[in-house]
Amino acid sequence: MNRKFWLTLALASFMVVTAACGANSGKTNNENKGNTAGSGNTAEKTYTIAVSQIVEHPSLDATYDGFVAALKDAGIEEGKNLEIDFNNAQGDSANIKTISQKIANSKSDLALGIATPTAQALADDVKDMPVLFAAVTDPIDAGIVTQLEAPGGNITGASDTNPAAITETMDFIATQIPNVKNVGLIINEGEQNAVIMGDIAEKALEKHGIKLIKASVANSSDVKQAADSLVGRVDALYITLDNMVVTGADAIIEVANENDIPFFSADRDTVEKGAFAAVGFKYYDHGYEVGQMAVEILKNGKNPGEMNVTVPQKLDFIFNMKAAAEQGISVTDEMKALVKDQENNIIE
């Protein structure tokens, strides 16, 4: 794990930053950039934004939705003064590269990479326009930026990981779930972000004398088999912000429910689907923050290299009470007391 990233991350947790970006489909032409929508001095500038998203799943889709909402709230709205070229790489590395090269050759005003691999490709290929990233675990270790504060160049964005969230989840498992000796991690070890988060989880569990047992997958269709392979060997299941695995979360929920195994995730959306708990935040808010960064760049001329990379600030426990019942978990008052916003984060 990149020590510089996590040290910088701890400092970044105390900084307040605004920033912005957007994504969708249907870019037509870029000839009207800066042109007027009428005559005289009443012209309105139009914008084009190109988006590369690694795959569609709830957390990444919510990131995109929040991004677009922030633009709209600032008066940059698709169908009026905004064109968005949305590209879904469908988890394919060849598609990721093709999309980044296409964006590099476009006349877009700004590019957005949602998830680590797509952001890495944009950082490598796009040099002549501002680039933002979202849903990236460790942008330093991934080679996207060299530092979180004023990273320089033409790129900045938001990390979706605060190490405290992982540690708090592991501490909860160790102290609140009875008799846990082994925790199963379903992981795509080809995703750098998943490996980094898995290492943090493993170290946190070691402090409690608990072992992390990994079940690797090569694609989302392997997730069910990996989850099945852990039955009888582990006392709880966990997944990171692992795009391939999150896409197959329904299969893990099925295994967890059938075998009464508490299932923990690293994102709210998977808890809403049927995992029991996470320490997390709303990806919509994460995307909205990046959308605000885009507004600063597009409307106010901010240089992305001078804008700090942000990290999640509003962490909270999130419980799914129906999932708890399905997975044989008795949710105690002590557990509930850990939830700061019980109205929104205890899901009945």
Side-chain angles (χ1 to χ4, degrees), residues 38-60:
S39 60
N41 297 322
T42 61
E44 182 180 32
K45 182 175 176 62
T46 61
Y47 305 91
T48 60
I49 294 175
V51 179
S52 179
Q53 181 170 314
I54 188 171
V55 70
E56 291 184 344
H57 67 59
S59 295
L60 301 187

Side-chain angles (χ1 to χ4, degrees), residues 3 7 22 25 35 40 50 56 104 130 137 142 150 167 173 179 210 216 236 252 277 284-285 294 297 315 332 342 344:
R3 293 186 178 182
L7 288 171
S25 61
N35 288 353
E56 291 184 344
T137 296
T167 302
I173 293 171
N179 304 315
I210 296 172
S216 297
I252 306 172
Y284 181 93
D285 294 341
I297 293 167
L315 297 177
T332 65
Q342 296 193 9
N344 292 308

Side-chain angles (χ1 to χ4, degrees), residues 21-24 27 30 33 48-54 84-89 95-114 117-119 121-132 154:
C21 205
N24 196 312
K27 184 176 78 170
N30 298 320
K33 289 198 295 181
T48 60
I49 294 175
V51 179
S52 179
Q53 181 170 314
I54 188 171
I84 301 178
D85 175 23
F86 178 82
N87 301 271
N88 174 13
N95 289 345
I96 292 169
K97 189 65 175 175
T98 299
I99 290 167
S100 69
Q101 290 174 340
K102 182 188 99 168
I103 291 173
N105 292 324
S106 74
K107 295 181 180 180
S108 300
D109 295 292
L110 183 144
L112 169 68
I114 302 178
T118 49
L122 291 178
D124 288 342
D125 292 335
V126 179
K127 304 300 182 185
D128 297 328
M129 71 182 73
V131 176
L132 291 173
N154 65 323

Side-chain angles (χ1 to χ4, degrees), residues 170-242:
M170 298 306 110
D171 289 346
F172 179 92
I173 293 171
T175 59
Q176 301 296 328
I177 304 299
N179 304 315
V180 174
K181 293 181 172 57
N182 300 299
V183 173
L185 174 66
I186 300 162
I187 183 171
N188 168 25
E189 295 188 281
E191 278 200 41
Q192 187 178 32
N193 53 308
V195 173
I196 290 167
M197 294 182 71
D199 288 345
I200 297 169
E202 187 168 27
K203 289 183 175 69
L205 289 172
E206 283 176 355
K207 294 178 181 178
H208 298 281
I210 296 172
K211 185 177 180 181
L212 186 74
I213 298 177
K214 297 178 183 178
S216 297
V217 299
N219 54 64
S220 57
S221 63
D222 294 339
V223 170
K224 174 69 161 59
Q225 183 179 354
D228 283 334
S229 76
L230 293 169
V231 175
R233 301 168 57 209
V234 302
D235 309 296
L237 295 168
Y238 175 63
I239 62 172
T240 69
L241 303 174
D242 183 327

Side-chain angles (χ1 to χ4, degrees), residues 10 28 31 36 78 92 132 152 194 232 246 276 286 291 316 325-326 331:
T28 54
E31 299 302 319
T36 65
E78 193 176 12
D92 187 291
L132 291 173
V246 170
F276 162 53
H286 174 71
D316 198 3
E326 291 279 359
V331 180

Side-chain angles (χ1 to χ4, degrees), residues 246-269:
V246 170
T247 302
D250 286 340
I252 306 172
I253 293 166
E254 180 184 336
V255 171
N257 291 349
E258 286 179 355
N259 296 278
D260 287 347
I261 304 174
F263 172 31
F264 295 83
S265 69
D267 66 294
R268 180 190 182 91
D269 298 287

